Amino acid sequence: MQPAMVFGDDDDLDQRFRFTAPDNEAPAAVGVSGVIGRSADAAVLLAGLSRYTVGLQIDLAIRRRLDPDPTDPMHSTLGAGLLVGVELVDGRTVVAGHPPWPPVDGPVLVYRGGGGGGREWSSTLWLTPAPPPGDLVVVVACPSLGVDESRVVVAAEALRAAAARTEILWPREPDQAHPGIEPRPPDVPPGGWFEKALAATTD
């Protein structure tokens, strides 16, 4: 099993993993989940944590008691104003999406996707490099849903145990080069507008 990279190893951290988890690893679940913060009509949940050798995947969820109004701007967790941050044992902090282009010499917390609708929304985030040994604090707030700043502490032992179960499936092979493929022109009625317009783009 390959040892995890920790903060301070940025010179060795492969840049491709700053925005996505390794695709040649089987992550280990960190045994923690539950409500982080809530209001009378909404809750932000920690749905799960997955430990990779070079980082953590954080899965969050929003639940609402009532169907949103049709004019509700909550088209995504970002649109809902969900704030997510992490505090490391050494006191360093990082907020998801801020700054938009994270520095190369510190922790990175980025959104990897999400979606939903109505009363249920989900969001996946990626934290890298792997946090140093110690407790990890996940902080959330969603003022638009009345959820005040709240936090959950992920115990150092749970993180350590998950790190020991992370498995590298095989050495990651280099990405293959994919030369550009020229798309075939569409079939259009002869002598018509589309034939003339398409011909003009190739002149």
Side-chain angles (χ1 to χ4, degrees):
M1 183 173 299
Q2 178 174 318
M5 295 182 184
V6 298
F7 291 99
D9 294 338
D10 293 285
D11 290 341
D12 300 322
L13 183 64
D14 194 316
Q15 291 300 305
R16 66 175 169 264
F17 297 143
R18 289 181 67 78
F19 297 97
T20 187
D23 53 15
N24 64 324
E25 295 185 12
V30 181
V32 58
S33 61
V35 176
I36 304 178
R38 62 179 300 167
S39 64
D41 297 321
V44 179
L45 318 178
L46 177 59
L49 282 175
S50 300
R51 180 65 155 80
Y52 290 80
T53 60
V54 293
L56 280 175
Q57 179 174 297
I58 303 171
D59 294 305
L60 300 178
I62 289 179
R63 297 290 184 266
R64 302 180 72 166
R65 184 169 69 91
L66 303 172
D67 292 331
D69 185 271
T71 61
D72 194 307
M74 186 176 177
H75 300 301
S76 68
T77 51
L78 284 172
L82 177 63
L83 300 171
V84 184
V86 168
E87 182 175 335
L88 308 173
V89 68
D90 59 12
R92 285 186 285 177
T93 60
V94 58
V95 177
H98 301 282
W101 298 102
V104 298
D105 59 349
V108 176
L109 183 63
V110 295
Y111 286 98
R112 293 192 60 209
R119 305 182 191 188
E120 299 185 19
W121 292 81
S122 64
S123 185
T124 297
L125 299 98
W126 172 243
L127 173 69
T128 193
D135 293 347
L136 182 78
V137 181
V138 179
V139 186
V140 302
C142 194
S144 64
L145 296 179
V147 178
D148 294 332
E149 189 175 289
S150 309
R151 63 187 60 205
V152 63
V153 178
V154 182
E157 176 56 29
L159 292 167
R160 187 203 63 76
R165 299 193 310 273
T166 300
E167 181 180 353
I168 296 178
L169 301 173
W170 42 69
R172 192 178 190 281
E173 300 295 337
D175 294 331
Q176 295 186 27
H178 295 283
I181 299 176
E182 187 72 24
R184 69 179 294 270
D187 294 325
V188 297
W193 182 90
F194 281 104
E195 185 179 61
K196 294 177 181 178
L198 291 170
T201 63
T202 60
D203 290 343

